[in-house]
Amino acid sequence: MTAIGVMGGTFDPIHFGHLRAAEEVLQGFGLERVIFVPAGRPPHKLHSEVTSPEHRYTMAKLATVDHLRFEVSPIEIQREGPSYTLDTLRELRDSVCKGKTLYFITGLDAILEIHTWKGYKQLFELANFIAVTRPGYSVEVFLTLEKVLGPECFSKVHPFPVTLLAIASRDIRRRVREGESIRYLVPEPVRLYIEEHGLYSGRADETR
Ligand code: ATP
Ligand code: MG
């Protein structure tokens, strides 16, 4: 097996929507493993308050430690300045993923914005993209991407239906803030970590 999945995200916090999508892609594409890459300072989320990279990295580790084919990479949180997927894919290609085919996994919501990512055309030289379904985003909308990306890049994006889980980190943060339970939305060790460190409870209301 020579293909590796890479799933980038803020993971604030990581939840079963991320994990289940990665699991189904791992199986469906016969990947060797999936590497989760928590973002350092996501350029598109600069203006909202984001939990420290160390907390988000630790939660991703806790969520994946029992899976032999799931890994978490600290490369983005160790890098100075904003996180760019382009830098990450280059770094992975030249190190742990040398000689392997890279599949970058995103949700349909994220792929629709890919043309706003730094050096997006070059991204397609480094990796194929797997766009997993997510509640609220139709495959019809996905098809509009062809016009935006052009046929060559678009041919490297593979839509992939996964079990639809209407779970979002933003909703989890809101629940914690409002004192609601998040049990069964995140792995139990992640829930306990959030509780132990008092994450999300004191945060001002998000407007985004
Ligand atoms: P937020 O609400 O803060 O934006 P999120 O739940 O969207 O958080 P991200 O860290 O932004 O999580 O997402 C990382 C990647 O995982 C993105 O490509 C996103 O599309 C995908 N993703 C997130 N949640 C789901 C889900 N429930 N099903 C499928 N894909 C998902
Ligand atoms: Mg998101």
Side-chain angles (χ1 to χ4, degrees):
M1 280 183 282
T2 55
I4 295 183
V6 179
M7 190 163 188
T10 320
F11 301 121
D12 190 18
I14 193 163
H15 55 66
F16 282 128
H18 303 124
L19 295 161
R20 184 64 208 172
E23 178 73 352
E24 293 189 20
V25 168
L26 180 81
Q27 288 227 302
F29 285 76
L31 303 180
E32 180 185 296
R33 53 200 158 113
V34 173
I35 306 175
F36 293 84
V37 186
R41 269 171 63 220
H44 59 291
K45 287 188 178 170
L46 276 187
H47 300 298
S48 58
E49 201 184 329
V50 175
T51 311
S52 84
E54 290 71 25
H55 279 319
R56 292 183 288 105
Y57 174 78
T58 304
M59 290 190 282
K61 287 288 271 190
L62 288 170
T64 54
V65 72
D66 60 347
H67 195 309
L68 281 175
R69 296 182 186 275
F70 281 180
E71 284 171 22
V72 185
S73 167
I75 51 176
E76 288 200 6
I77 68 167
Q78 285 170 350
R79 195 184 298 142
E80 289 290 310
S83 290
Y84 293 110
T85 300
L86 185 63
D87 301 332
T88 299
L89 289 176
R90 280 193 179 131
E91 217 172 308
L92 288 174
R93 179 201 56 189
D94 295 339
S95 57
V96 291
C97 300
K98 228 182 199 138
K100 317 247 176 168
T101 305
L102 288 182
Y103 285 94
F104 193 83
I105 305 164
T106 75
L108 273 185
D109 61 313
I111 201 77
L112 292 173
E113 293 178 3
I114 196 164
H115 57 285
T116 66
W117 297 9
K118 181 184 151 195
Y120 83 90
K121 293 231 163 167
Q122 290 155 276
L123 286 175
F124 293 94
E125 291 160 20
L126 293 161
N128 287 279
F129 285 76
I130 300 173
V132 298
T133 48
R134 187 169 187 184
Y137 295 86
S138 67
V139 175
E140 286 79 68
V141 175
F142 167 78
L143 294 175
T144 62
L145 251 192
E146 178 161 18
K147 260 210 178 105
V148 181
L149 298 182
E152 206 175 316
C153 293
F154 185 70
S155 70
K156 294 199 163 177
V157 186
H158 313 286
F160 187 67
V162 295
T163 303
L164 292 176
L165 294 172
I167 305 175
S169 301
R170 182 195 165 92
D171 174 62
I172 292 168
R173 298 193 296 272
R174 179 195 59 76
R175 284 180 197 272
V176 176
R177 211 167 45 234
E178 297 180 0
E180 282 180 30
S181 159
I182 56 164
R183 213 184 270 266
Y184 311 125
L185 296 174
V186 298
E188 196 56 5
V190 173
R191 187 184 72 83
L192 294 172
Y193 186 91
I194 290 170
E195 203 173 85
E196 187 185 334
H197 294 270
L199 302 185
Y200 312 122
S201 48
R203 187 175 292 183
D205 281 357
E206 289 180 68
T207 47
R208 282 162 30 103

